[in-house]
Amino acid sequence: MAAVTEQAPVTDVNPKLDADPVSCVPWPIPPPNPALEVKYTKMFINNEWYDASGGATFNDINPSTEKVTARIAEASEADVDKAVAAATAAFQPGSPWRKMDASDRGVLINKLADLIDENKYYLACLETLDSGKPYTHTFFMDTTGISKLLRYYAGWTDKMHGKTVPVDGDYLSYTLVQPMGVCGLILPWNMPLITMGMKLGPALACGNTVVIKPDENTPLTALFLASLTKEAGFPAGVFNVVPGGPTAGAALVNHHGVQKISFTGSIEIGRKIEEASSKTNMKRLTLELSGNCPNIIFADADLDYAVEQAHQAVFMNQGQMCTAGARTFVHEDIYDEFVKKSVARASKKMVADPFQLYSEQGPQISRKHFDSIMGYIKAGKEEGAKLECGGSRHGDKGLYIQPTVFSGVTDEMKIAKEEIFGPVQCILKFSTIEEVVERANNTQYGLAAGIFTQNVSVALEISKALESGTVWVNCYNAFAVQSPFGGLKMSGKGKEMGEESLREFSEIKTVTLKLPQIQNISFKSNAVRQYSGST
Ligand code: NAD
């Protein structure tokens, strides 16, 4: 992979490298500020900022440079207790939050979305600084994503209602849709803002209070959002943030005052959360876990389009996507051509400082994760896959990895069996529909899948047969706030986004009243018809 300065830009998005940066993208975008001030580093509890108990802090590292961006308060068990106590108090009957009309909750959530839009530039720069995601992505995708999610759920606040139920006997029975209480939202580092929006939107829309634990690699945007909730006018205790790592996460999961955990992360920690929940107070759980998704390219697909889509399916977000279409299954008739074109595309990918507007791929999130991806690349080579391009670090500073393509990958190889979560495309060959469906499903994961074909019948049949929570046909990562998303099998349980997510953050209560029928009213007489004016 050539260094950025030696290489011509390759996509429509960055037509001229030597141009004024702002004209490098076709849409208006303010030039980024890599030297922005980090405004918030403390815990946010009850609408106030606190140091962690004992003054504990941890380093927030910039993955582009591996230098410390800021020192962040590290929440202990006692700090999590304090946050849960604040969220519990805010949830008490008669509190401002509980007394608020549902429609006014919607107004508040929309106000928060307005403030996000007003602060879009700062938030995008902050997310890029913290996560290494290209600024063009954080500006156009992540900040827009959380704002859209919040607005979608703001619209739901006064549209969730129960039913009247036609029960037997002299009873009136109806259901109420009610909030659960204190919800712990545990976030990953790969999509900090968007995963926060997926959880926060429905949690607040349903009337819950939240304690958010951002990932220790990316705490900054959750803390900035906290300042916006205060500015928007959310009552104290409704929104709390406890930065930290596994200790803070486990404290939240083990807490008897927390009714619900919505978690995005690894299967390993998802399992721990299930166990801890069953040993404490049987929390309601939504678990969005790992994936190793198949993307199936048939011989009749539009080849150039499929190559580009399959490339984006793997390499988007530095390959750090739970939905990454890392197992690219390609029909034997087009296999060689597909590999050639995919290698050409990956070799031209612009790996660069994420604050450069032409950057398509920034650094990996952490040294630990960088080493893990390099370990997978080594295993691919050792197990006999053909390294077509990439395979090494990019440059000599920061956690950049060359876009890597392996051909000749077989199902038994480690790189095909496990989630790499990095910029590594594994291209596998298949012959028949039956074979590819069986191989695609032969995994513990079941998050998402892609199909590229012009044959609608094939696409629809395979969509039914694939064991995954989402199937994209002739597109990939086509998320929409209105459509539910979530994994099957070991990829998790529960849904985020769409109406379905509201069920994850609410409880149904049945209320039944004894209503004996009034015996002296007769509906048999003409009186009823006369009363209603009929002849
Ligand atoms: P991880 O599971 O190690 O960490 C995720 C979060 O859990 C972090 O906030 C972390 O501090 C916290 N945590 C760690 N130990 C904990 C404990 N004992 N109790 C409670 N919380 C704890 O995740 P990771 O490996 O850093 O992230 C990558 C994984 O996340 C990948 O496997 C990826 O597929 C998955 N992911 C899934 C989705 C999805 O929607 N399905 C989205 C993004 C990422």
Side-chain angles (χ1 to χ4, degrees):
M1 184 79 202
V4 166
T5 45
E6 297 162 9
Q7 188 180 314
V10 291
T11 66
D12 292 336
V13 175
N14 45 18
K16 279 188 255 127
L17 252 190
D18 54 354
D20 167 45
V22 181
S23 65
C24 285
V25 291
W27 310 282
I29 184 170
N33 174 16
L36 77 166
E37 181 200 354
V38 173
K39 295 180 184 162
Y40 301 102
T41 58
K42 298 186 178 193
M43 305 185 303
F44 185 77
I45 298 174
N46 225 11
N47 276 2
E48 301 296 339
W49 299 98
Y50 292 97
D51 287 321
S53 52
T57 57
F58 65 95
N59 286 337
D60 184 39
I61 306 287
N62 177 349
S64 300
T65 59
E66 293 191 82
K67 300 224 167 86
V68 177
T69 301
R71 290 193 64 80
I72 308 292
E74 182 168 18
S76 65
E77 231 173 89
D79 296 322
V80 170
D81 262 353
K82 187 165 155 178
V84 174
T88 305
F91 191 73
Q92 290 310 300
S95 69
W97 182 240
R98 294 301 297 279
K99 280 197 302 194
M100 192 179 286
D101 286 343
S103 62
D104 285 336
R105 276 205 311 274
V107 171
L108 260 188
I109 299 170
N110 266 323
K111 181 91 192 292
L112 179 60
D114 290 344
L115 289 172
I116 288 171
D117 291 347
E118 280 169 32
N119 289 277
K120 181 182 174 68
Y121 169 70
Y122 179 81
L123 260 176
C125 291
L126 200 61
E127 191 78 313
T128 293
L129 182 74
D130 215 11
S131 68
K133 292 152 91 76
Y135 166 70
T136 49
H137 297 197
T138 55
F139 189 85
F140 289 119
M141 198 171 72
D142 301 72
T143 49
T144 309
I146 184 170
S147 167
K148 271 195 167 198
L149 281 157
L150 292 177
R151 288 190 197 288
Y152 173 77
Y153 285 106
W156 269 111
T157 52
D158 56 359
K159 294 164 195 73
M160 289 174 274
H161 46 74
K163 299 173 179 171
T164 50
V165 187
V167 295
D168 292 349
D170 294 349
Y171 300 97
L172 168 65
S173 187
Y174 63 93
T175 57
L176 292 172
V177 181
Q178 294 195 302
M180 290 172 163
V182 179
C183 300
L185 313 183
I186 303 181
L187 308 182
W189 46 260
N190 68 330
M191 289 273 165
L193 274 172
I194 288 185
T195 52
M196 182 159 50
M198 286 178 178
K199 298 175 193 311
L200 186 62
L204 294 180
C206 292
N208 299 286
T209 58
V210 303
V211 178
I212 296 185
K213 199 212 72 68
D215 190 278
E216 54 272 42
N217 292 287
T218 50
L220 299 184
T221 46
L223 291 173
F224 185 70
L225 209 80
S227 74
L228 300 185
T229 61
K230 188 169 179 176
E231 190 179 338
F234 279 86
V238 171
F239 183 98
N240 307 275
V241 183
V242 285
T247 305
L252 208 46
V253 170
N254 286 313
H255 206 294
H256 282 265
V258 175
Q259 304 306 320
K260 157 92 192 180
I261 292 285
S262 179
F263 167 81
T264 299
S266 62
I267 290 175
E268 182 198 346
I269 305 299
R271 254 187 223 283
K272 286 190 183 172
I273 291 174
E274 284 259 27
E275 276 171 29
S277 161
S278 70
K279 285 183 187 149
T280 52
N281 58 342
M282 302 289 261
K283 293 175 180 64
R284 306 296 186 256
L285 299 178
T286 304
L287 303 175
E288 292 292 351
L289 308 178
S290 317
N292 186 16
C293 306
N295 189 13
I296 304 171
I297 321 293
F298 285 93
D300 67 346
D302 174 336
L303 189 60
D304 288 335
Y305 175 76
V307 165
E308 179 61 24
Q309 290 286 309
H311 171 84
Q312 297 296 349
V314 176
F315 292 97
M316 185 180 156
N317 207 39
Q318 295 66 248
Q320 298 167 158
M321 291 285 286
C322 51
T323 52
R327 290 187 295 148
T328 313
F329 287 97
V330 179
H331 191 268
E332 59 189 2
D333 290 354
I334 56 164
Y335 188 83
D336 293 342
E337 190 64 9
F338 188 94
V339 169
K340 201 169 108 200
K341 284 176 180 274
S342 298
V343 172
R345 176 63 183 95
S347 303
K348 286 191 289 184
K349 193 162 195 76
M350 192 64 79
V351 182
D353 176 346
F355 277 107
Q356 296 292 346
L357 292 181
Y358 48 76
S359 176
E360 288 185 283
Q361 181 182 312
Q364 309 306 138
I365 189 68
S366 65
R367 171 62 57 179
K368 185 173 159 220
H369 190 53
F370 175 96
D371 289 343
S372 157
I373 297 167
M374 293 309 291
Y376 278 110
I377 293 174
K378 185 162 171 273
K381 290 190 230 169
E382 285 170 0
E383 288 186 337
K386 183 171 177 209
L387 180 66
E388 296 277 357
C389 66
S392 305
R393 74 172 294 160
H394 171 88
D396 53 11
K397 193 180 78 168
L399 301 168
Y400 298 86
I401 294 181
Q402 295 173 341
T404 297
V405 178
F406 280 111
S407 66
V409 179
T410 55
D411 297 348
E412 319 70 55
M413 291 179 183
K414 188 176 161 78
I415 53 171
K417 282 206 294 212
E418 296 178 18
E419 182 194 46
I420 302 173
F421 219 55
V424 182
Q425 184 172 30
C426 298
I427 310 188
L428 303 94
K429 192 185 280 186
F430 76 91
S431 306
T432 68
I433 294 181
E434 295 75 12
E435 170 211 333
V436 76
V437 170
E438 192 189 326
R439 289 170 62 195
N441 286 342
N442 186 19
T443 169
Q444 63 173 340
Y445 306 105
L447 193 57
I451 303 168
F452 285 81
T453 176
Q454 295 186 28
N455 187 327
V456 177
S457 302
V458 167
L460 296 185
E461 275 310 304
I462 298 181
S463 300
K464 284 191 275 178
L466 286 172
E467 295 168 356
S468 66
T470 294
V471 178
W472 288 296
V473 178
N474 292 333
C475 56
Y476 206 91
N477 279 331
F479 291 101
V481 297
Q482 302 85 354
S483 291
F485 169 75
L488 310 184
K489 295 156 80 175
M490 299 283 282
S491 287
K493 49 174 64 173
K495 296 290 177 198
E496 298 204 297
M497 301 198 289
E499 184 180 352
E500 283 73 5
S501 188
L502 297 164
R503 294 188 200 124
E504 306 278 329
F505 285 97
S506 55
E507 299 278 20
I508 303 289
K509 180 184 284 177
T510 301
V511 180
T512 301
L513 289 76
K514 175 82 174 157
L515 278 185
Q517 288 180 19
I518 301 170
Q519 298 303 323
N520 59 0
I521 294 181
S522 165
F523 293 106
K524 288 184 189 141
S525 74
N526 285 337
V528 175
R529 283 202 296 276
Q530 281 162 10
Y531 180 75
S532 64
S534 49
T535 54

